[in-house]
Amino acid sequence: MLELHEAAWREIVAHARTSAPEEACGILVGRRTETGFAVLRAEPCRNVHPGDRTRRFLIDPERQLAVQREARQQGLAIVGFYHSHPGGRAELSEHDRAQAHPWTPMLIVALRGGRVEARAWRCGPAGGFEETLVRIGPVTGAGPGASSQADGG
């Protein structure tokens, strides 16, 4: 399960809306829990894809390293990534599948006609994808001591 704190969810949606028609992208910071991942905050990043940013994204690698350092200093970890599909559906594209990190949740937020749809997936080591339940609200089970496979910790 991918549990998103309400403030993180609001940040993601606002980022997706202000980035449209380009794809927004960012990092999910939190902790691993017994039931999955607790996202305590979202870190919006610049989409630095050199091509068509309305259909592709690339998280700024310098920002990703900075977020990883900041998270570790706070006893947190990168637990996933997000991006938007402006005018599309919250489904994995072939490009999304190619960019996925094993075991790391990828949250996709679709904006269509004023509506917001969110779905998440995790990629297994053999490349298969499994949809992950997304819950928005108070984050439970995010106590200290949890670690994350997402950043190697």
Side-chain angles (χ1 to χ4, degrees):
M1 177 184 338
L2 186 65
E3 293 182 276
L4 295 165
H5 189 281
E6 292 118 336
W9 171 245
R10 287 191 301 272
E11 182 73 37
I12 292 166
V13 172
H15 185 211
R17 286 185 170 141
T18 59
S19 296
E22 293 185 356
E23 289 193 4
C25 56
I27 300 170
L28 305 174
V29 175
R31 293 192 175 99
R32 188 163 177 74
T33 68
E34 290 181 13
T35 59
F37 301 89
V39 177
L40 303 175
R41 70 174 193 265
E43 292 287 342
C45 297
R46 283 186 317 124
N47 181 350
V48 297
H49 193 280
D52 181 5
R53 293 184 188 139
T54 64
R55 299 183 46 80
R56 301 283 185 267
F57 76 96
L58 178 63
I59 291 174
D60 180 351
E62 289 181 19
R63 180 69 182 133
Q64 184 172 342
L65 288 173
V67 169
Q68 185 171 0
R69 278 191 302 272
E70 293 166 11
R72 283 186 176 167
Q73 289 171 352
Q74 298 166 355
L76 302 173
I78 291 175
V79 295
F81 300 93
Y82 74 86
H83 72 279
S84 65
H85 285 177
R89 299 183 56 99
E91 296 176 356
L92 289 169
S93 68
E94 288 305 312
H95 182 74
D96 296 338
R97 291 173 187 273
Q99 282 198 15
H101 298 269
W103 304 114
T104 305
M106 178 185 292
L107 177 70
I108 300 175
V109 177
L111 305 173
R112 293 176 50 193
R115 294 189 51 164
V116 179
E117 175 190 16
R119 294 172 71 189
W121 285 268
R122 287 177 64 193
C123 172
F129 287 84
E130 177 181 295
E131 189 162 2
T132 300
L133 178 66
V134 176
R135 188 176 71 74
I136 301 161
V139 174
T140 60
S147 67
S148 171
Q149 287 181 313
D151 80 349

